[in-house]
C-alpha cells in the first residue's frame, strides 16, 4: 500500500469513527490537527490553534484537569486517557475521549506529544439511556424478564422475584415454562412463538403459577428485541399482576347479578345524594321504565316528603347509617310505604365513598298488620264476652240443671246428665278460648320463667279427677320435682291433653295414665289412654289449627293450643298409638338450665 493510499484510508477511518489526531511539539510550541479534529470541533480547516486555544475548547469544568494532565505528560512523560467534554464553536457540548502520549530524545526530553480525540457523545447518550432504562426496569412494579431467541431467561427484575416467588438465581438459565399452570395446550404456545418470531408483539392474559403453587393472572406483553438490521436477538416480556383486579371484577359481577336479581330496590348515590345506579327492582317499585330516567336525580325526589328524606341523608352523614319507614312517591304520583336501610360504602381506609340503600315495599304488610290488629281487638272482645257473658249464663243453666236432678224421673235423668255434660264442656271451651286468645294476641315476646312441673301437674290432675269422676286418671311412678322453662300456660297444656284423653274415649270407664321421666336437658311426659287411638293418617295433622279427633264434634283448637304453647317453650309434642289401640301423647319440655 502506497503512502497516498494509507493517508486516504486513515482519513476514512477518522470520518467513520469520529476520531481526530493531533501533535504538539513543545520545543517549537507548534500544534497540528488532523481533518477529523476540525470536524469534531466544528471549525474551518484553515484555523491554526495554539495549545492554549485547543485547551480553550474544553468545557470550563474540565479545563484545569486537562491543563494538569498535559503538563504532566510534557514534564514527566506520563500518558493519559480521560473522558471529558468540549464546547464546539456553535456552542454545543460534546462528550470526548482524550488520549495522549509523549516521545522523548536520548536525554529524556519530551520532543513530541501526540494524542487522539474521539467523539463519544452518541455512546455516552446510549449509556445514559441504557442506565436509565435499567433503573426503570429495576424499579418497575411489573414483572419483567428477557430471554434469548431460544426462550432461555437471561434477566429478571426484582418485581419478577416478588410476584412469582422465584429468585433470579432460580430463574436464570430456565425458560418461562417454570410458570406454566397447565391451563393452555401446545397449540396456544405454538401460536405465541409464531407471533414473536415473526417480529410481532404478543399480548394475552395468562393464568400462570407461582413457585408456591398459587395461581396468578398476568397481563403479559412479549416483544421481540431487534438489531439495527431487523434480526430478532431476544425477547422482553412485561407482566402486570392483575390477579386481585380479576377477583374484584368477579366479585363485582356477582354483586351486579345479585343486585339485578334482588326483589328489594337497591340504589347507590353520591355522598351529596345524587343517584348513580339503581337496580331493576327499584325502577319497578317506583314505576320508571329504565335506569337512565332515574340516574343523576336527587334521592329526595323519590319521597313524598322531601324534607323528611333530607333529614335521613343528614342522619346518615352524622352516624353512617339509617333505617326506617318513609312514604315514597311513584313516577305517576301515587304513593307507597317503603322500609329503607341505608349506609355508607367505604374504602379500605374507612373513608365514605358512596351511599347505598335498599328498599322494601311494605304497603301490603302494613295493611295486614292493621287487619291483624283489628282481628286481635275483635278476639280480645270475644274473649271478654266468652269469659263473662257465656260463662255467667252457663253457670245459671248448670245451676238450674242441677236443681232439676231431684225432680226428674229415671227417663229424664239421662237427658239431664247430657245437658250437664254439654254445659261443662262449653265452660271448658271458654277456658280454652281464653287461653288461645291470650296467646295469639300477645304483642310481647313470650316470657319464660322457672315453673315447677310437679305442683302444676298435680293441680291439674286433681281438677280433672273432680271433673270426670267416672274416669280413672292417675300417675304411674313419681313426678320429678324439677323446674321447667315455661310459664302459667303450662297448666293449659296438661288440662287440654287430659280433657282430650277422657272426652274422646269410647270406653265405659276411661283410663288415663301419666308418666314423667327426667333427662339431662328435658323432661319427657307421656299421657296414655285406653281410647280408640288416633289413625296414622291424622297423627301428623292432629295438632293443626282446626284439626278434629276421630268422631269428634269439637273444634280441635285445644290440641292446636297445646302445640303452640309447647313450641314457645322450645319443646315438642307428638302422638302415637299403643299396641292395644289407645293413644299416647308425648311431651318433651326443657328444664331450667
Amino acid at each position: 500500500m502506497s503512502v497516498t493510499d494509507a493517508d486516504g484510508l486513515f482519513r476514512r477511518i477518522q470520518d467513520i469513527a469520529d476520531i481526530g489526531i493531533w501533535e504538539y511539539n513543545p520545543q517549537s510550541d507548534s500544534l497540528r490537527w488532523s481533518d477529523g479534529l476540525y470536524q469534531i470541533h466544528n471549525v474551518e480547516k484553515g484555523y491554526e490553534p495554539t495549545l492554549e486555544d485547543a485547551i480553550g475548547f474544553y468545557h470550563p469544568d474540565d479545563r484545569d484537569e486537562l491543563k494538569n494532565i498535559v503538563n504532566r505528560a510534557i514534564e514527566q512523560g506520563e500518558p493519559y486517557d480521560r473522558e471529558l467534554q468540549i464546547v464546539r464553536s456553535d456552542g454545543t457540548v460534546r462528550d470526548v475521549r482524550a488520549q495522549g502520549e509523549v516521545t522523548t530524545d536520548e536525554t529524556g526530553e519530551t520532543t513530541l506529544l501526540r494524542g487522539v480525540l474521539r467523539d463519544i457523545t452518541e455512546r455516552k447518550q446510549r449509556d445514559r439511556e441504557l442506565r436509565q432504562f435499567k433503573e426503570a426496569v429495576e424499579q418497575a412494579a411489573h414483572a419483567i424478564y428477557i430471554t434469548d431467541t431460544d426462550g432461555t431467561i437471561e434477566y429478571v427484575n426484582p418485581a419478577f422475584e416478588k410476584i412469582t416467588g422465584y429468585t433470579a438465581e432460580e430463574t436464570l438459565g430456565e425458560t418461562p415454562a417454570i410458570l406454566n399452570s397447565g391451563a393452555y395446550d401446545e397449540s396456544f404456545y405454538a401460536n405465541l412463538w409464531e407471533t414473536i418470531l415473526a417480529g410481532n408483539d404478543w399480548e394475552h392474559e395468562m393464568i400462570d403459577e407461582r413457585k408456591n403453587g398459587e395461581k396468578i393472572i398476568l397481563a403479559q406483553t412479549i416483544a421481540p428485541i431487534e438489531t439495527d438490521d431487523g434480526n430478532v436477538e431476544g425477547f422482553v416480556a412485561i407482566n402486570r399482576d392483575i390477579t386481585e383486579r380479576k377477583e374484584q371484577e368477579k366479585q363485582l359481577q356477582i354483586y351486579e347479578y345479585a343486585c339485578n336479581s334482588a326483589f328489594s330496590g337497591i340504589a347507590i348515590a353520591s355522598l351529596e345524594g345524587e343517584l348513580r345506579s339503581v337496580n331493576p327492582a327499584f325502577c319497578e317499585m317506583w314505576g320508571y321504565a329504565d335506569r337512565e330516567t332515574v340516574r343523576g336525580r336527587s334521592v329526595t325526589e323519590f319521597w313524598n316528603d322531601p324534607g323528611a328524606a333530607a333529614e335521613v341523608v343528614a342522619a346518615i352523614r352524622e352516624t353512617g347509617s339509617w333505617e326506617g319507614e318513609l312514604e315514597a312517591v311513584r313516577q305517576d304520583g301515587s304513593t307507597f310505604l317503603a322500609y329503607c336501610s341505608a349506609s355508607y360504602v367505604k374504602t379500605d381506609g374507612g373513608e365514605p365513598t358512596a351511599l347505598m340503600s335498599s328498599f322494601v315495599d311494605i304497603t301490603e304488610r302494613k295493611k295486614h298488620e292493621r287487619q291483624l290488629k283489628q282481628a286481635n281487638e275483635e278476639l280480645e272482645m270475644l274473649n271478654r264476652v266468652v269469659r263473662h257473658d257465656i260463662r255467667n249464663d252457663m253457670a245459671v243453666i248448670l245451676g238450674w240443671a242441677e236443681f232439676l236432678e231431684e225432680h226428674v224421673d229415671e227417663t229424664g235423668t239421662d237427658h239431664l246428665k247430657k245437658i250437664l255434660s254439654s254445659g261443662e264442656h262449653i265452660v271448658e271451651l271458654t277456658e280454652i278460648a281464653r287461653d288461645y286468645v291470650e296467646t295469639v294476641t300477645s304483642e310481647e315476646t313470650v316470657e319464660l320463667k322457672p315453673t315447677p312441673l310437679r305442683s302444676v301437674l298435680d293441680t291439674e290432675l286433681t281438677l280433672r279427677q273432680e271433673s270426670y269422676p267416672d274416669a280413672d286418671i292417675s300417675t304411674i311412678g313419681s313426678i320429678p320435682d324439677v323446674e321447667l322453662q315455661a310459664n302459667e300456660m303450662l297448666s293449659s297444656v296438661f288440662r287440654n291433653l287430659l280433657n282430650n284423653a277422657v272426652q274422646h274415649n269410647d270406653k265405659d270407664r276411661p283410663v288415663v295414665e301419666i308418666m314423667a321421666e327426667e333427662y339431662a336437658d328435658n323432661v319427657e311426659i307421656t299421657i296414655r289412654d285406653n281410647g280408640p287411638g288416633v289413625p296414622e293418617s291424622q297423627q301428623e295433622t292432629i295438632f293443626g289449627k282446626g284439626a278434629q279427633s276421630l268422631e269428634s264434634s269439637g273444634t280441635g283448637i285445644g290440641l292446636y293450643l297445646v302445640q303452640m304453647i309447647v313450641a314457645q317453650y322450645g319443646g315438642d309434642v307428638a302422638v302415637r298409638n299403643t299396641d292395644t289401640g289407645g293413644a299416647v301423647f308425648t311431651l318433651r319440655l326443657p328444664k331450667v338450665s
Side-chain angles (χ1 to χ4, degrees):
M1 181 182 295
S2 66
V3 175
T4 304
D5 292 337
D7 288 345
L9 179 60
F10 182 67
R11 284 192 298 270
R12 179 61 178 155
I13 291 173
Q14 289 187 81
D15 293 340
I16 295 174
D18 286 333
I19 292 176
I21 299 173
W22 54 270
E23 289 182 347
Y24 173 69
N25 188 330
Q27 296 177 355
S28 63
D29 192 25
S30 60
L31 177 65
R32 185 168 68 91
W33 279 5
S34 70
D35 292 346
L37 208 58
Y38 284 101
Q39 293 175 5
I40 291 174
H41 286 83
N42 193 31
V43 294
E44 297 292 335
K45 290 184 180 180
Y47 177 66
E48 295 181 357
T50 64
L51 180 61
E52 191 68 23
D53 293 335
I55 294 175
F57 278 101
Y58 283 82
H59 194 279
D61 294 339
D62 294 338
R63 287 174 191 165
D64 290 341
E65 180 181 359
L66 184 63
K67 286 179 182 179
N68 291 333
I69 60 178
V70 168
N71 288 334
R72 285 200 302 272
I74 295 172
E75 296 172 1
Q76 302 174 20
E78 182 180 318
Y80 64 87
D81 187 343
R82 297 285 193 279
E83 290 186 0
L84 306 167
Q85 287 186 318
I86 64 170
V87 181
R88 301 173 67 174
S89 60
D90 58 4
T92 59
V93 177
R94 306 289 289 181
D95 291 296
V96 296
R97 180 181 180 185
Q99 296 172 284
E101 61 181 13
V102 298
T103 301
T104 60
D105 57 18
E106 61 276 5
T107 64
E109 187 77 16
T110 297
T111 58
L112 194 65
L113 177 64
R114 21 174 105 83
V116 177
L117 191 70
R118 179 180 292 112
D119 189 334
I120 59 172
T121 304
E122 282 71 23
R123 194 206 78 192
K124 293 285 283 187
Q125 179 63 26
R126 286 195 299 271
D127 288 346
R128 282 191 292 269
E129 291 174 353
L130 182 59
R131 186 169 57 254
Q132 292 171 353
F133 173 76
K134 184 177 181 181
E135 290 175 356
V137 169
E138 292 285 319
Q139 297 175 16
H142 302 333
I144 298 173
Y145 63 85
I146 297 174
T147 75
D148 62 15
T149 53
D150 294 327
T152 302
I153 298 175
E154 298 178 335
Y155 168 82
V156 296
N157 71 337
F160 178 94
E161 297 178 286
K162 180 179 180 181
I163 291 173
T164 68
Y166 288 98
T167 65
E169 290 76 13
E170 294 171 318
T171 308
L172 299 182
E174 299 290 339
T175 69
I178 61 174
L179 303 177
N180 194 332
S181 65
Y184 309 101
D185 56 21
E186 292 182 2
S187 62
F188 176 86
Y189 292 104
N191 179 62
L192 185 159
W193 278 104
E194 181 180 351
T195 301
I196 60 178
L197 285 173
N200 299 316
D201 293 352
W202 186 86
E203 296 183 9
H204 203 278
E205 290 184 359
M206 296 287 293
I207 301 175
D208 281 336
E209 191 172 275
R210 291 187 176 97
K211 180 181 178 180
N212 62 6
E214 292 180 357
K215 293 294 187 294
I216 181 175
I217 303 176
L218 302 174
Q220 186 178 77
T221 299
I222 301 178
I225 302 173
E226 298 181 348
T227 61
D228 293 338
D229 55 7
N231 293 323
V232 176
E233 62 178 4
F235 305 99
V236 58
I238 302 174
N239 303 271
R240 183 161 51 95
D241 186 354
I242 58 173
T243 308
E244 185 176 348
R245 193 199 78 192
K246 282 293 182 180
E247 181 61 27
Q248 290 174 346
E249 289 177 356
K250 180 181 178 181
Q251 294 300 323
L252 183 60
Q253 289 174 351
I254 295 173
Y255 165 76
E256 289 180 348
Y257 177 81
C259 286
N260 291 335
S261 304
F263 292 108
S264 301
I266 297 175
I268 298 177
S270 67
L271 298 179
E272 291 72 32
E274 181 180 293
L275 282 178
R276 293 178 178 174
S277 176
V278 297
N279 70 338
F282 181 96
C283 294
E284 183 179 355
M285 198 176 293
W286 266 267
Y288 288 88
D290 57 67
R291 308 181 193 188
E292 292 304 320
T293 56
V294 174
R295 189 177 290 117
R297 297 173 59 180
S298 171
V299 295
T300 59
E301 298 180 36
F302 297 87
W303 304 106
N304 200 34
D305 184 355
E311 291 178 3
V312 170
V313 174
I316 296 172
R317 288 174 180 162
E318 182 177 349
T319 65
S321 64
W322 182 88
E323 59 181 45
E325 299 173 4
L326 286 172
E327 187 177 28
V329 56
R330 297 186 180 92
Q331 186 180 26
D332 61 8
S334 61
T335 61
F336 66 96
L337 196 61
Y339 184 85
C340 170
S341 176
S343 62
Y344 279 134
V345 178
K346 297 182 179 180
T347 64
D348 293 339
E351 288 297 319
T353 183
L355 178 64
M356 183 173 180
S357 306
S358 64
F359 308 93
V360 178
D361 186 343
I362 59 172
T363 306
E364 287 300 316
R365 192 190 82 188
K366 283 295 183 179
K367 178 181 177 182
H368 291 322
E369 287 179 357
R370 289 192 296 271
Q371 292 173 343
L372 181 61
K373 183 178 180 181
Q374 182 178 354
N376 286 343
E377 291 174 351
E378 292 172 355
L379 279 173
E380 290 175 357
M381 178 64 70
L382 175 61
N383 186 28
R384 288 194 294 270
V385 172
V386 166
R387 294 180 65 182
H388 185 268
D389 296 353
I390 294 179
R391 287 175 63 86
N392 287 348
D393 289 346
M394 286 308 305
V396 173
I397 292 173
L398 290 175
W400 283 108
E402 291 174 356
F403 176 76
L404 291 175
E405 284 181 336
E406 299 178 359
H407 301 282
V408 297
D409 56 20
E410 186 175 344
T411 303
T413 300
D414 290 338
H415 298 302
L416 185 58
K417 285 183 178 180
K418 292 181 180 179
I419 292 173
L420 289 171
S421 176
S422 296
E424 290 170 353
H425 183 57
I426 290 173
V427 172
E428 289 176 356
L429 286 177
T430 63
E431 293 175 350
I432 295 173
R434 177 199 62 200
D435 293 344
Y436 175 75
V437 170
E438 289 179 354
T439 301
V440 300
T441 60
S442 176
E443 295 182 357
E444 299 178 358
T445 303
V446 176
E447 181 181 355
L448 303 182
K449 56 188 177 183
T451 304
L453 169 63
R454 180 184 292 177
S455 63
V456 173
L457 187 53
D458 284 347
T459 299
E460 277 304 318
L461 192 60
T462 300
L463 291 174
R464 293 311 101 198
Q465 289 170 338
E466 293 175 355
S467 298
Y468 302 110
D470 295 332
D472 292 333
I473 305 174
S474 61
T475 59
I476 304 298
S478 61
I479 304 300
D481 188 13
V482 297
E483 290 185 327
L484 303 179
Q485 193 71 13
N487 56 23
E488 60 275 358
M489 297 299 289
L490 181 61
S491 60
S492 181
V493 171
F494 295 134
R495 179 169 66 251
N496 281 285
L497 288 175
L498 293 172
N499 285 346
N500 182 79
V502 176
Q503 293 172 357
H504 303 299
N505 199 304
D506 59 352
K507 301 298 188 295
D508 291 336
R509 189 164 185 83
V511 176
V512 182
E513 297 174 334
I514 302 99
M515 291 173 287
E517 188 169 354
E518 181 181 2
Y519 294 95
D521 299 322
N522 57 53
V523 176
E524 183 176 286
I525 303 149
T526 57
I527 299 176
R528 181 171 58 198
D529 63 58
N530 64 340
V534 179
E536 290 186 8
S537 60
Q538 296 183 21
Q539 289 178 9
E540 294 293 329
T541 60
I542 194 171
F543 297 102
K545 185 188 293 185
Q548 296 181 357
S549 300
L550 183 64
E551 300 178 356
S552 170
S553 59
T555 61
I557 195 69
L559 292 182
Y560 173 69
L561 179 63
V562 167
Q563 191 276 335
M564 185 166 58
I565 295 173
V566 169
Q568 290 175 346
Y569 295 165
D572 61 76
V573 59
V575 64
R576 59 180 175 82
N577 291 332
T578 66
D579 295 337
T580 58
V584 179
F585 285 82
T586 303
L587 288 166
R588 290 184 182 85
L589 299 174
K591 297 193 305 184
V592 174
S593 57

